């Protein structure tokens, strides 16, 4: 599975404080820990930690890639911030852009902008199954949007293996949202039939358990459910050992890894890029 | 809208293994494939498979006439046998199989095994495969001496199994050899053996996998499908399953009654002198399709047939 480490995000206090203090050490430590835990990419998200988003993105990119060789996943809803990150990013390692909806009222061509930047960098793109109408509440609209994204990406020359569809997980405890995890699984089933090879399926896993009790348990359980439907990537906490071991087991049970008595150890000894 | 690329892009590859060092005059390089067997562009096919001809450390008992006749006069002399295999029959490698040290097949000692190893090393310049007697206790007693006698020659030592790997792995590590990791037609155990060996600090890049082998009519399809799956795992970047493969075609094919039966015993099956070699050759070329890299073979006619086949397939002479 293509694991994208979620921890370098301004929503976490330690990262927010480090950004404010311009202290690279806590950020680099998180980068090293996540790389060692098998992250294939490291997500870089400023959150609300800084007013100067473009400058902060550059600083984070430079700080992280000075510490580890892991490729980065530049995470911002603003094309200008992504562009700033790319300007200093070593894309020869690979890169992911995170993320674009199909379109926005304020920016109908947002997907084209993100896809063009991704292709120019030789990287991949995470695209959300949402559009100017917001996040769909049912299966069919999610699938329709995914189809429109895939078509648009291919028209632009981006092959499905570079495209990561994110069906958007919302917190399960939001009123009325409890049907969404099941809808997402049903949508994944259909999205994976759209092309051969299919686009990757990814998700911001921890969002599901925002504000709930039993956060790790909810995250781990849904991750396994999603893998069983063909999800092959997630933005997640790779430092959660139980979660990573559960992923290893789910992938083995889905015949993605050849079983051996030491299958967990085998998975852990495999680099993030090859898992 | 551009036409999507239709080819498969594999991310992994089979490890490349180069056998032979020290006093060897040639080396043999196998593996390196980045695609399914004969399924992709030529440049992605890796190295041409190699043929190892079996030399037994002691005169074999009960070999069918076509085999015994092919090696008449040298069956009791491993050095002369090895020379014949290389000079007359064109073996890329010589595989010395130490059946004679097996408790039930002569129970010869380490001194004998060392002597045979030295004589064969002196007799030929090709790299060697040195394969124990498949009795764990006896192999643990004899293989250390064999390994030491061949130190620096970068031979392929066999075999380690899930239940008996520590001794031989340590030896191969110390003496600079390569290792055959054996599993009984079981891909899960195959992976486990590789993990165990690797845990001892032995580089995965110096491993060759042996799934045991079935002959035509005797379970070849099991070996075939496991080897096929191993290749796909290697191409999918499973580093633990990226070792090249070896098959023991000679022993298995000549164990089949269709190869062994004399013309008198089975007149309806045709001339035994042609039938046995054909059985061995068909087993070999079939297993080549599953991605095998080193073939252990016996009959010179079968060897010549398989070599011609490889020449045509690869468009090269070995």
């Amino acid at each position: 599975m293509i694991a994208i480490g979620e921890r370098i995000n301004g929503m976490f206090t330690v990262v927010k404080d480090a950004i404010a203090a311009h202290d690279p050490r806590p950020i680099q430590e998180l980068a090293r820990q996540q790389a060692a835990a098998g992250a294939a990419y490291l997500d870089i998200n400023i959150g609300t930690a800084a007013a100067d988003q473009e400058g902060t993105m550059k600083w984070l990119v430079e700080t992280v890639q000075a510490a580890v060789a892991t490729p980065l996943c530049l995470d911002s809803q603003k094309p200008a911030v992504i562009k700033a990150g790319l300007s200093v990013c070593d894309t020869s390692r690979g890169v992911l852009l995170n993320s674009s909806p199909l379109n926005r009222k304020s920016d109908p061509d947002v997907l084209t902008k993100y896809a063009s930047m991704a292709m120019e960098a030789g990287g991949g793109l995470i695209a959300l199954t949402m559009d100017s109408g917001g996040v769909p509440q049912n299966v069919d609209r999610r699938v329709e949007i995914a189809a429109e994204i895939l078509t648009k990406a291919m028209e632009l020359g981006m092959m499905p293996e570079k495209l990561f569809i994110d069906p958007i997980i919302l917190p399960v405890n939001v009123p009325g949202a409890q049907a969404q995890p099941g809808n997402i699984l049903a949508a994944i089933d259909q999205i994976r039939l759209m092309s051969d090879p299919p686009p990757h399926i990814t998700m911001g896993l921890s969002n599901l358990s925002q504000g709930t009790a039993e956060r790790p348990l909810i995250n781990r359980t849904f991750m396994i459910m999603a893998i069983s439907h063909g999800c092959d990537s997630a933005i997640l906490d790779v430092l959660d050992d139980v979660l990573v071991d559960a992923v290893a087991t789910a992938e083995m049970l889905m015949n993605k890894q050849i079983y051996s008595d030491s299958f967990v150890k085998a998975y852990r000894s495999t680099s993030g890029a090859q898992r | 809208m551009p036409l999507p690329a239709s080819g498969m892009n594999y991310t992994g590859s089979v490890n490349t293994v180069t056998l032979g060092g020290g006093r060897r005059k040639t080396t043999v390089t196998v593996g390196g494939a980045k695609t399914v067997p004969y399924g992709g562009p030529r440049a992605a096919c890796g190295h041409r498979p190699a043929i190892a001809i079996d030399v037994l450390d002691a005169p074999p008992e009960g070999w069918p006439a076509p085999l015994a006749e092919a090696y008449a006069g040298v069956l009791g002399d491993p050095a002369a046998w090895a020379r014949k295999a290389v000079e007359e029959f064109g073996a890329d490698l010589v595989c010395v199989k130490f059946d004679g040290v097996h408790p039930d097949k002569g129970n010869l000692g380490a001194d004998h095994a060392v002597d045979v190893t030295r004589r064969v090393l002196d007799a030929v310049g090709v790299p060697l495969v040195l394969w124990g007697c498949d009795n764990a206790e006896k192999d643990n007693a004899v293989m250390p001496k064999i390994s030491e006698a061949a130190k620096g020659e970068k031979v392929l030592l066999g075999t380690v199994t899930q239940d008996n790997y520590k001794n031989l792995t340590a030896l191969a590590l110390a003496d600079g050899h390569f290792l055959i990791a054996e599993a009984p037609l079981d891909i899960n155990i195959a992976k486990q053996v590789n993990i165990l060996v690797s845990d001892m600090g032995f580089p995965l890049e110096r491993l060759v996998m042996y799934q045991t082998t079935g002959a035509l009519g005797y379970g070849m399809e099991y070996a075939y499908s496991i080897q096929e799956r191993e290749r796909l795992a290697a191409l999918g970047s499973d580093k633990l399953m990226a070792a090249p493969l070896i098959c023991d075609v000679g022993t298995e094919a000549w164990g089949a009654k269709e190869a062994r039966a004399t013309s008198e015993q089975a007149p309806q099956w045709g001339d035994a002198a042609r039938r046995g070699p054909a059985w061995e050759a068909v087993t070999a070329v079939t297993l080549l399709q599953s991605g095998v890299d080193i073939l252990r073979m016996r009959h010179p006619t079968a060897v010549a047939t398989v070599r011609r086949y490889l020449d045509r397939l690869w468009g090269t002479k070995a």
Side-chain angles (χ1 to χ4, degrees):
Chain A
M1 195 185 75
I2 302 167
I4 304 166
E6 70 175 12
R7 295 297 286 273
I8 302 176
N9 188 317
M11 306 240 281
F12 292 106
T13 310
V14 60
V15 176
K16 188 173 187 172
D17 292 348
I19 290 172
H22 247 255
D23 179 2
R25 284 167 301 179
I27 310 255
Q28 292 182 329
E29 183 54 27
L30 278 172
R32 277 189 284 267
Q33 286 175 2
Q34 292 184 101
Y41 292 88
L42 297 178
D43 197 66
I44 307 288
N45 187 321
I46 300 151
T48 54
D52 175 13
Q53 295 204 356
E54 292 170 34
T56 305
M57 177 59 98
K58 282 188 188 175
W59 179 74
L60 278 175
V61 167
E62 287 171 332
T63 299
V64 172
Q65 65 189 12
V68 295
T70 311
L72 306 183
C73 175
L74 308 182
D75 187 350
S76 172
Q77 300 309 304
K78 296 180 178 166
V81 176
I82 296 281
K83 194 174 176 186
L86 279 172
S87 72
V88 292
C89 183
D90 176 6
T91 55
S92 67
R93 306 170 176 188
V95 68
L96 273 181
L97 305 189
N98 182 15
S99 57
S100 171
L102 174 62
N103 53 47
R104 267 188 208 134
K105 278 194 186 109
S106 60
D107 191 354
D109 295 326
V110 60
L111 180 62
T112 303
K113 288 178 189 166
Y114 273 77
S116 302
M117 286 192 288
M119 284 190 297
E120 198 176 321
L125 172 66
I126 298 175
L128 309 170
T129 59
M130 65 183 285
D131 63 3
S132 52
V135 178
Q137 295 303 307
N138 60 16
V139 176
D140 289 348
R141 188 61 196 140
R142 274 196 170 86
V143 174
E144 278 172 30
I145 294 176
E148 288 178 62
I149 289 170
L150 181 63
T151 307
K152 181 81 182 166
M154 290 184 72
E155 278 173 5
L156 293 167
M158 175 177 270
M159 291 299 126
E161 55 264 41
K162 292 282 192 186
L163 187 62
F164 292 65
I165 302 283
D166 180 343
I168 308 185
I169 312 182
L170 298 175
V172 70
N173 64 348
V174 167
Q178 215 175 323
Q180 293 309 317
N183 288 350
I184 285 169
L185 299 179
I188 291 173
D189 288 339
Q190 295 187 49
I191 294 167
R192 286 183 48 79
L193 295 174
M194 287 175 184
S195 66
D196 184 11
H200 299 284
I201 305 289
T202 196
M203 51 182 63
L205 183 66
S206 301
N207 205 29
L208 177 66
S209 61
Q210 286 283 358
T212 66
E214 305 287 0
R215 288 202 66 185
L217 182 60
I218 290 173
N219 293 344
R220 293 164 190 165
T221 304
F222 190 66
M223 187 72 253
I224 294 163
M225 293 165 73
I227 288 172
S228 77
H229 284 257
C231 174
D232 65 347
S233 173
I235 304 156
L236 77 177
D237 182 9
V238 291
L239 303 182
D240 178 350
D241 288 341
V242 180
L243 173 61
V244 173
D245 290 351
V247 167
T249 308
E251 295 232 305
M252 183 277 293
L253 291 172
M254 290 298 287
N255 200 20
K256 298 275 179 65
Q257 308 283 340
I258 292 172
Y259 174 83
S260 66
D261 288 350
S262 303
F263 72 90
V264 174
K265 190 175 178 182
Y267 189 81
R268 286 194 163 274
S269 71
T270 305
S271 74
Q274 284 163 345
R275 283 183 184 174
Chain B
M1 182 170 162
L3 201 61
S6 60
M8 287 292 290
N9 290 317
Y10 296 109
T11 53
S13 62
V14 177
N15 293 340
T16 300
V17 163
T18 299
L19 301 171
R23 292 186 290 135
R24 301 303 88 205
K25 294 190 181 72
T26 58
T27 58
V28 166
T29 300
V30 294
K34 297 180 174 68
T35 182
V36 291
Y38 313 110
R42 189 51 186 288
C45 288
H47 296 276
R48 176 181 158 131
I51 298 174
I53 292 185
D54 282 357
V55 168
L56 273 55
D57 66 319
E61 284 178 18
W63 267 24
L67 258 190
E69 283 161 13
Y71 295 99
V74 298
L75 288 173
D77 182 348
W81 187 343
R83 249 191 317 271
K84 193 179 183 74
V86 174
E87 290 166 13
E88 284 185 42
F89 304 147
D92 303 314
L93 299 150
V94 165
C95 174
V96 185
K97 179 73 173 75
F98 289 93
D99 277 354
V101 306
H102 194 284
D104 302 336
K105 297 178 190 168
N107 205 22
L108 294 166
D111 292 348
H112 151 83
V114 167
D115 180 54
V116 168
T117 304
R118 294 212 171 110
R119 282 165 53 208
V120 173
L121 280 168
D122 289 342
V124 295
V126 300
L128 301 190
V129 183
L130 301 174
W131 198 304
C133 69
D134 302 323
N135 173 293
E137 202 176 319
K138 198 65 194 287
D139 278 348
N140 283 339
V142 171
M143 289 309 284
K145 308 285 186 193
I146 293 174
S147 173
E148 195 185 351
K151 186 167 184 165
E153 300 290 324
K154 295 188 178 174
V155 304
L156 182 56
L157 283 182
T159 62
V160 291
T161 64
Q162 187 175 21
D163 301 321
N164 186 37
Y165 65 92
K166 290 185 179 164
N167 202 351
L168 200 50
T169 302
L171 290 171
L173 201 55
D175 294 335
H177 298 314
F178 293 74
L179 267 185
I180 303 169
E182 175 179 342
L185 284 176
D186 187 319
I187 196 166
N188 306 122
I189 293 176
K191 188 164 181 175
Q192 186 67 13
V193 178
N194 294 356
I195 293 169
L196 294 170
V197 169
S198 162
D199 280 351
M200 284 185 66
F202 194 84
L204 289 164
E205 295 73 22
R206 270 160 61 190
L207 273 185
V208 170
M209 289 193 282
Y210 173 55
Q211 273 300 326
T212 65
T213 305
L216 174 61
Y218 294 84
M220 178 166 62
E221 55 275 34
Y222 293 102
Y224 188 103
S225 57
I226 287 173
Q227 290 175 174
E228 200 173 35
R229 202 166 156 221
E230 285 174 339
R231 170 66 68 93
L232 290 173
L235 298 178
S237 291
D238 188 340
K239 291 290 171 202
L240 292 162
M241 299 300 276
L245 308 177
I246 186 169
C247 277
D248 180 6
V249 173
T251 310
E252 295 298 326
W254 286 96
K257 68 175 183 294
E258 289 84 351
R260 296 182 71 87
T262 63
S263 300
E264 292 72 32
Q265 286 168 332
Q268 72 280 16
W269 287 350
D271 180 5
R274 296 180 59 195
R275 182 178 0 103
W279 209 263
E280 185 178 5
V282 170
T283 301
V285 295
T286 307
L287 290 167
L288 280 172
Q289 317 300 322
S290 72
V292 63
D293 299 283
I294 303 174
L295 295 161
R296 259 182 70 190
M297 298 190 65
R298 292 199 164 159
H299 199 282
T301 304
V303 168
T305 305
V306 173
R307 184 179 301 104
R308 274 199 306 279
Y309 176 85
L310 286 169
D311 286 345
R312 290 177 62 184
L313 214 52
W314 288 77
T316 56
K317 298 268 183 200

